[in-house]
Amino acid sequence: MVGARGAGIAQPLLALLRQSALRQSVPLPLHLPSHGRGAALAPELRRLLRQRPGSWDLPELPAFGGPLESQGAVAEAQRRAAKALGADACWFGVNGASGLLQAALLGLCPPGSRVLLPRNLHRSLLHACVLGDLQPLLYGLPLDPISGHWLPPPPEHLGQVLRAALSQGPVAALVVVDPTYQGRGADLAALVALAHGSAGGARGLPVLVDQAHGDGSALAAGADLVVLSLQKAASGLAQSAVLLAQGPRIDHQSLERSLLWLQTSSPSALLLASCATALDDGLSAAGQRRRRRAKRRALELRQRLEALDLPFVRNDDPLRLVLATAPMGINGLEADAWLLERGVIAELPEPGSLTFCLGLRPPPGLERRLGRQLLALRAALGGAPLPPFAAPPFPLVASLALPLGVAWRAQAVELPLQEATGAIAARPLVPYPPGIPLLIPGERLDGERTSWLLDQRHQWPGQIADTLWVVAPL
Ligand SMILES: Cc1ncc(COP(=O)(O)O)c(C=O)c1O
């Protein structure tokens, strides 16, 4: 290695990572990964990690192989996973759901094609559109005025979206997020049936379901491609994810080609083992018992907190406990900062809510400690309920004034937000988390959009600047 000695490069990282091993240093970790800092790590993976450190860090030896090899242990594990989950094929990924969503979209859609993406898309799908030269058609979703969350599209809503998009030309694929980050589920079977029955070619429109927060049930609902993040709803390490394919609309060679374009040439054996062990664990009787226990505790916790008059968002996943901060008169980002100072680490702060991920083995003493902190939060910051969230001024299906990749690479100038009406965005506006864009490159701002963004600036303190990068006039 060439460079200066004694720089202590690892020190900042190691100091934090060592501290996280001390239980008392983090009173309440309620964030992802779902294994809760190792408490619910897949048992087989835990056993592997007890082996001599590094002994598991193998290259793609012939016996081991990799996600794109037809022979070897990884290929065999992927075949078993596909069979167990009811898919035709399965690929493990070591770059999270992000990497597999990108490969899936590139595998489905030829360059230049139009693809229907929901407004609550994860930013990785936007990046895939740039890489694959795809035209994103962003479709609107209903918005819950109390929490400010995007809701899953009801079938009749999606029907309108499909008719509007298809009336303007062919569409290569539909993407649906299910469940949402906050644990709200869609009537997925009905949505998939609508897409398959729509005029997207002889076989209907293929559907890619982003189940980063889900359990693979999208396959039974008929989805053609499904991406799971195994650290979010299962017991895997961060970055372990799987892509599942089924049915006649999917060309496996095309998928494998896009996986090859995007995947590292040295996939981590540890992360591949994490994919396989998380799936085994999720399907095992012990894993399912653990999940049921965690859900029971979560439901009891929620009842207990509701009895203290604390408001929660109704959702379909008890392990995502979503405090409705807006009815308490508190912005979720401010609630998060306040709780963080007191050692309660939530997962997802948003203007109207704060999501706690309880994990597959919720921390001991959670019931007593969280209740106490939330009551203290209300006493410290609470007030009159915040006004309802206004539906954003988006068309049902939005196309871009300038192609995404062109706008993103264009020469850009910075304008005060107030002066941006009429301009075309050159950079996305993406509060993170959740990583959902409020504005994407190529979108033209009209007056309504500018005032909505000005309002968003107040709602996302510290996340949205006073200025916007827009495409420089020629
Ligand atoms: C809906 C959704 N999809 C995909 C992702 C990306 O997952 P990963 O972080 O595993 O790449 C996220 C991350 O938060 C997400 O919320």
Side-chain angles (χ1 to χ4, degrees), residues 216-363:
S217 53
L219 279 177
D224 303 276
L225 286 178
V226 181
V227 171
L228 307 180
S229 166
L230 296 172
Q231 57 128 343
K232 299 196 200 305
S235 56
L237 293 172
Q239 289 189 218
S240 32
V242 290
L243 169 61
L244 303 162
Q246 70 174 351
R249 296 173 197 83
I250 301 304
D251 174 352
H252 292 196
Q253 277 182 355
S254 162
L255 270 186
E256 295 207 323
R257 189 174 54 212
S258 53
L259 284 163
L260 179 69
W261 290 339
L262 294 172
Q263 167 184 289
T264 166
S265 54
S266 320
S268 154
L270 179 64
L271 289 181
L272 294 170
S274 163
C275 294
T277 53
L279 292 173
D280 266 340
D281 181 44
L283 294 167
S284 71
Q288 293 188 354
R289 263 198 311 278
R290 189 177 345 106
R291 182 180 294 275
R292 275 198 300 274
R293 262 200 311 273
K295 284 190 173 177
R296 252 197 321 273
R297 260 187 83 189
L299 288 169
E300 282 165 16
L301 168 67
R302 185 183 167 127
Q303 276 175 5
R304 215 168 139 153
L305 297 176
E306 280 177 340
L308 298 173
D309 236 10
L310 290 162
F312 292 91
V313 170
R314 297 246 155 262
N315 63 3
D316 304 295
D317 180 358
L319 297 180
R320 300 286 160 98
L321 183 70
V322 187
L323 182 68
T325 59
M328 298 165 70
I330 310 174
N331 180 304
L333 280 77
E334 283 157 7
D336 185 48
W338 192 91
L339 288 168
L340 199 55
E341 279 178 17
R342 288 149 186 88
V344 180
I345 311 179
E347 169 66 19
L348 174 59
E350 294 177 278
S353 68
L354 184 60
T355 299
F356 302 102
C357 287
L358 305 185
L360 295 168
R361 202 185 284 272

Side-chain angles (χ1 to χ4, degrees), residues 95-99 101 122 124 177 181 210 212-213 229 231-232 432 434:
N95 185 24
S98 302
L101 284 170
H122 185 256
S124 54
V177 175
Y181 211 140
D210 175 354
H213 300 280
S229 166
Q231 57 128 343
K232 299 196 200 305
Y432 197 93

